[in-house]
Amino acid sequence: MADLINTATVMCALAICVRLLTYRPAANARHRPAAAWLAWALIVCTGGLALAMLLFGSGALGIAKICYLGLLSVLAVVIYRARGNAARLLPED
């Protein structure tokens, strides 16, 4: 069961990292520094977590804890910016 959870964690972290790295803004999009820094932090944390788990397996607890802390910190900032409204995290139809 632990292997399934570790594999799912690595796949989710890689999916987030790759999606953020391949993002292409619209031609009329404006640059927002706060959003860019949040995206950078997510890329570093998810990529670091995936690499640590792939390279060191379950022995990556120290690195994984730092990456988890980073992910939770970014999520906390996003949730507070949305004023606790989880619906604002999703795109509007």
Side-chain angles (χ1 to χ4, degrees):
M1 185 65 168
D3 289 336
L4 178 63
I5 292 173
N6 286 343
T7 302
T9 302
V10 169
M11 295 304 290
C12 287
L14 281 176
I16 294 168
C17 186
V18 168
R19 180 60 187 114
L20 287 170
L21 284 172
T22 59
Y23 170 73
R24 296 286 178 244
N28 60 350
R30 62 185 181 94
H31 178 70
R32 297 189 323 189
W37 280 106
L38 285 175
W40 177 84
L42 280 171
I43 290 168
V44 168
C45 292
T46 56
L49 177 62
L51 279 175
M53 291 185 77
L54 285 173
L55 294 177
F56 304 112
S58 60
L61 290 179
I63 298 169
K65 285 181 183 180
I66 293 170
C67 293
Y68 280 130
L69 175 61
L71 286 172
L72 291 175
S73 299
V74 171
L75 183 60
V77 168
V78 171
I79 291 293
Y80 272 89
R81 285 184 56 100
R83 296 184 180 139
N85 185 356
R88 289 183 63 189
L89 300 176
L90 301 173
E92 294 180 15
D93 292 335

